[in-house]
Each structure stands twice: as structure tokens, then as C-alpha cells.
């Protein structure tokens, strides 16, 4: 009699354990089906491409910097040295004195035109230092701080004005308001030539 009771009790325990496990599994599957990823996907809102940079880049300009009127051309902040004419090294030092900033990296003609309008650069022939230089390698130009390549054979816009310097060459962009094309690239000695300059500060894109 005792043996039968023990067997019956054991069967009951096994049955209850099995039933509880089945319910737990069923609950887990139901929860997984309604996971946030599925809900997010079903609503038709894929993650924004600019989500990561928006989280890692600043959203406001440093003191002295300002945004373009049309921020869809570029969301970044800029500082124009104005009438202050300096050597390339001094221009670079001025820019990097603001953490995260660097000498301008012009990417499109729309950006250059927007900067010309923003800072009212109206002189018929004005040059501004940009970050391009060959200080690390006489045969290769890169942008200071970012080390992005500058390719004379694949300009973003404008034209090369003179043969690139093979020793200590630093890039300047010529604003020619009356000429065609309006912009020309020129490489001059970094430690002797004096020009205006533009600093750039990267900022989070519009999301």
C-alpha cells in the first residue's frame, strides 16, 4: 500500500513539473514573438542612418563658430579668420585650439558657396588656408587632424591653379567671385605664405 502511494505521489510530482515547464516555454515563445524588435519593424520605422553620429557628435557650436544658413548643405560649424592673415601653422594652431576642430575640409561647391555667403567673402581674389598638406610625405597630400586624403586628380570642385609643391606644401582655396570656375586650389609653402583661414567643427547631422 505504501509502495503504491509513493508511486502515485511520484507520478503526480513528475506530472506537475512537466506541466509547469510546458507553460513556461509557452510564455517565453509568446514574449519573444512580441519582442520590441518585431514591433519596431512592423511599424515600418527602420533605424535612422544618422543615429550613431547623432549620439557621438556635439549638437551645438563652440564659442566663435556658427552654422550655415542651410544646414542640409553641411551641419558643421565654421569660423572665418576674417582679415587676420597668418601662416598655415598658425592657422592650424588657431583651429585645433578648439578641441574637435580642424582647418576646413571643403567637400562640395555648395558648401564653399554657402561659406562665402555666410561670412560675406566678397573680395574678387582671396585665398583661405584649408587642412590639406604634404608635411608627412612630399608626394602625398592629406588633411590635417583627420588624415583624409586630398587628391589633385579627383578634386571635389574647382581646378588646380599651380603645380603642387613637392616640399612643405600647404593647400589654400582661392575664392574668385568673378572668375570661371569660381574656386581654384593652390599649394604654397607652409612657413612663408600668409593667407586667411577657415576652421571647421564637426557636429551631429540632422536626424
Amino acid at each position: 500500500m505504501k509502495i503504491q502511494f509513493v508511486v502515485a505521489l511520484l507520478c503526480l510530482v513528475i506530472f506537475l513539473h512537466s506541466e509547469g515547464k510546458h507553460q513556461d516555454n509557452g510564455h517565453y515563445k509568446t514574449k519573444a514573438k512580441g519582442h520590441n524588435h518585431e514591433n519596431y519593424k512592423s511599424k515600418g520605422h527602420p533605424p535612422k542612418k544618422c543615429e550613431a553620429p547623432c549620439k557621438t557628435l556635439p549638437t551645438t557650436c563652440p564659442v566663435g563658430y556658427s552654422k550655415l544658413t542651410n544646414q542640409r548643405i553641411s551641419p558643421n560649424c565654421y569660423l572665418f579668420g576674417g582679415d587676420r592673415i597668418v601662416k598655415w601653422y598658425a592657422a592650424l594652431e588657431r583651429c585645433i585650439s578648439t578641441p574637435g576642430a580642424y582647418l576646413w575640409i571643403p567637400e562640395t561647391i555648395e558648401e564653399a558657396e554657402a561659406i562665402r555667403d555666410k561670412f560675406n567673402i566678397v573680395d574678387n581674389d582671396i585665398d583661405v588656408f584649408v587642412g590639406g598638406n604634404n608635411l608627412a610625405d612630399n608626394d602625398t597630400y592629406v588633411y590635417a587632424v583627420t588624415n583624409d586624403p586630398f587628391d589633385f586628380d579627383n578634386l571635389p570642385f574647382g581646378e588646380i591653379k599651380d603645380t603642387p609643391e613637392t616640399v612643405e606644401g600647404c593647400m589654400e582655396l582661392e575664392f574668385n567671385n568673378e572668375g570661371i570656375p569660381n574656386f581654384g586650389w593652390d599649394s604654397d609653402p607652409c612657413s612663408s605664405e600668409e593667407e586667411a583661414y577657415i576652421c571647421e567643427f564637426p557636429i551631429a547631422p540632422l536626424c
Side-chain angles (χ1 to χ4, degrees):
M1 187 71 176
K2 290 183 178 180
I3 295 176
Q4 291 177 344
F5 177 79
V6 171
V7 172
L9 183 61
L10 183 59
C11 289
L12 179 61
V13 171
I14 293 174
F15 173 78
L16 291 175
H17 177 73
S18 175
E19 192 69 12
K21 185 176 181 181
H22 175 72
Q23 290 177 358
D24 287 342
N25 287 343
H27 175 70
Y28 176 79
K29 288 180 180 178
T30 302
K31 187 175 181 180
K33 188 175 181 179
H35 193 267
N36 289 339
H37 175 71
E38 294 296 330
N39 290 340
Y40 193 76
K41 188 176 180 180
S42 65
K43 291 179 182 178
H45 298 296
K48 296 180 180 179
K49 291 183 179 180
C50 64
E51 186 171 350
C54 282
K55 291 180 179 178
T56 59
L57 289 175
T59 57
T60 57
C61 295
V63 175
Y65 285 73
S66 57
K67 297 182 179 181
L68 299 179
T69 303
N70 184 352
Q71 295 174 38
R72 296 202 174 277
I73 294 176
S74 170
N76 293 345
C77 305
Y78 300 89
L79 180 148
F80 175 48
D83 295 331
R84 186 180 181 186
I85 306 301
V86 298
K87 295 180 175 64
W88 186 88
Y89 291 104
L92 176 64
E93 183 178 357
R94 172 67 178 86
C95 294
I96 64 176
S97 66
T98 299
Y102 43 78
L103 269 170
W104 182 29
I105 301 179
E107 294 184 347
T108 66
I109 192 170
E110 290 80 12
E111 178 190 8
E113 289 174 340
I115 284 178
R116 179 166 56 190
D117 294 340
K118 172 72 178 180
F119 297 111
N120 194 30
I121 302 175
V122 296
D123 289 351
N124 289 335
D125 188 7
I126 182 172
D127 296 346
V128 296
F129 278 129
V130 299
N133 68 89
N134 70 346
L135 298 177
D137 180 353
N138 290 341
D139 297 322
T140 304
Y141 275 77
V142 298
Y143 285 105
V145 180
T146 68
N147 286 322
D148 292 336
F150 178 90
D151 187 356
F152 287 99
D153 296 322
N154 188 26
L155 294 175
F157 58 90
E159 67 176 10
I160 294 294
K161 290 294 187 180
D162 295 303
T163 303
E165 291 284 330
T166 56
V167 178
E168 198 197 49
C170 287
M171 293 304 303
E172 58 189 35
L173 183 64
E174 178 182 312
F175 286 78
N176 186 354
N177 293 326
E178 295 181 352
I180 300 175
N182 287 335
F183 299 97
W185 301 87
D186 187 19
S187 173
D188 286 327
C190 308
S191 58
S192 60
E193 195 76 13
E194 293 186 343
E195 303 290 359
Y197 64 91
I198 293 173
C199 303
E200 183 174 4
F201 180 84
I203 206 164
L206 297 173
C207 289

